[in-house]
Amino acid sequence: MACCNMEGPEAQLLAVHHVPESSGDARSRELMHTVRRLGYSGLRCQWLMVPDHYQIVQIDAPDVPEAELVDAARWRIRDLVRIPIKDAVIDGFLVPDERVSGAPGKLYMVASRRADAERVTARISAAGLRPDMLGIPELALRNLAALHPEQQGGLAMLAVSAGDTLLTISRGETLFLCRWLDAGMDELSGGGLEKMALEVQRSLDFYEGHLSGGPASRVIVVPRGVNDVASLADRLNEQLALPVEALNLNSLFDLPQPLSAEQQTYCALAVGAALEPLS
């Protein structure tokens, strides 16, 4: 859990808190107790969905005004997602084609089962928070990347868990590419590191050749509940052509007290979600 103040010229990270893993009613009770203990009751909240609760697909953007894009594309994705369109909550965001002026670009469409979205919204409300929106890790990583001072050609973010890895490439507020890799921290021995590096390099090459017209500037490794991402960044530095570094939230925010490595391990994506402007 992360709390940010978005009202000033720069985002302020106020606090992060690790809510222990649990399920069902126990998780709801733990969240409610945490919200009350911290005095967060009534605050607006974005909930970051887990990958099992949504699906993201990319299509050619319809040639319609931007305000009409999602409605125009809704039925185009009915054969691309596993959720029946009539049972889904759907949103999307545009990826401009920066190589060709005036080109319509691509559209990322996000579909979540309505029942899952309603269940999460009810859990947020029961905890004493005001649900504002449901977010996805892809955009949380974009928000973290946008804080980095070295934007030049864009930043690749590599969010690593024990079993899988989310790769995004963005520049400023624009997310150009996102994909999930099967390899996680547990698979990095026996050729797993080389496989991850190869997939990352292929994505970087695709971004440079087909999306932006220029190379990304660096790769940043983000922990998703795993330790030792600094060591992984060092090993990837030997495999990739771009500089690779581990995320350090302490360098992105002016904090009264530095975040510990454990706090960053569990809360990095929550911080990215809290940076999303509320509706």
Side-chain angles (χ1 to χ4, degrees):
M1 177 185 292
C3 183
C4 286
N5 181 359
M6 303 294 291
E7 294 182 351
E10 295 184 355
Q12 293 179 296
L13 178 59
L14 303 180
V16 299
H17 305 275
H18 179 214
V19 180
E21 281 290 332
S22 55
S23 59
D25 292 341
R27 187 178 190 187
S28 296
R29 287 194 299 270
E30 182 67 35
L31 179 61
M32 180 177 64
H33 293 156
T34 301
V35 168
R36 290 178 178 176
R37 175 173 56 84
L38 298 173
Y40 287 172
S41 297
L43 292 184
R44 298 164 71 188
C45 167
Q46 177 180 187
W47 184 278
L48 201 62
M49 291 192 291
V50 297
D52 288 345
H53 284 180
Y54 73 94
Q55 189 174 355
I56 183 168
V57 296
Q58 188 184 72
I59 63 172
D60 292 329
D63 188 14
V64 299
E66 187 168 349
E68 302 173 13
L69 279 172
V70 173
D71 286 339
R74 182 180 181 89
W75 294 102
R76 288 194 186 185
I77 67 169
R78 63 184 182 276
D79 295 326
L80 302 177
V81 297
R82 56 183 177 269
I83 305 167
I85 294 298
K86 63 182 178 60
D87 298 330
V89 176
I90 294 176
D91 204 349
F93 52 94
L94 186 64
V95 181
D97 187 341
E98 298 198 343
R99 300 169 305 145
V100 182
S101 178
K106 301 289 186 179
L107 187 67
Y108 275 117
M109 296 290 289
V110 183
S112 175
R113 196 174 299 275
R114 188 177 304 276
D116 290 337
E118 291 174 349
R119 184 165 50 251
V120 167
T121 300
R123 178 180 295 168
I124 297 170
S125 298
L129 298 168
R130 288 192 293 155
D132 188 84
M133 65 178 74
L134 300 180
I136 58 175
E138 288 86 346
L139 294 181
L141 287 179
R142 179 208 60 184
N143 295 340
L144 287 173
L147 292 181
H148 203 282
E150 298 183 25
Q151 289 291 312
Q152 290 111 343
L155 292 175
M157 306 289 281
L158 205 59
V160 184
S161 75
D164 59 23
T165 298
L166 172 60
L167 168 66
T168 66
I169 305 178
S170 59
R171 186 172 67 247
E173 296 183 357
T174 302
L175 175 63
F176 288 93
L177 184 149
C178 57
R179 60 178 296 214
W180 288 88
L181 311 179
D182 291 336
M185 272 295 210
D186 291 347
E187 291 85 28
L188 293 186
S189 59
L193 177 69
E194 290 76 13
K195 178 183 176 182
M196 176 185 285
L198 178 61
E199 293 300 322
V200 172
Q201 189 61 58
R202 285 173 174 170
S203 296
L204 291 168
D205 292 343
F206 182 82
Y207 166 76
E208 179 179 354
H210 298 277
L211 297 177
S212 74
S217 60
R218 65 186 57 236
V219 178
I220 299 177
V221 184
V222 181
R224 289 169 48 227
V226 295
N227 298 309
D228 207 20
V229 292
S231 174
L232 173 58
D234 289 341
R235 295 164 67 191
L236 285 173
N237 251 320
E238 301 173 359
Q239 301 281 334
L240 298 174
L242 297 181
V244 184
E245 64 187 55
L247 175 72
N248 181 9
L249 291 172
N250 294 315
S251 68
L252 300 179
F253 295 95
D254 184 13
L255 300 170
Q257 184 173 353
L259 298 177
S260 67
E262 182 179 11
Q263 286 175 309
Q264 296 196 53
T265 293
Y266 289 104
C267 297
L269 282 184
V271 172
L275 292 170
E276 185 72 24
L278 296 175
S279 60

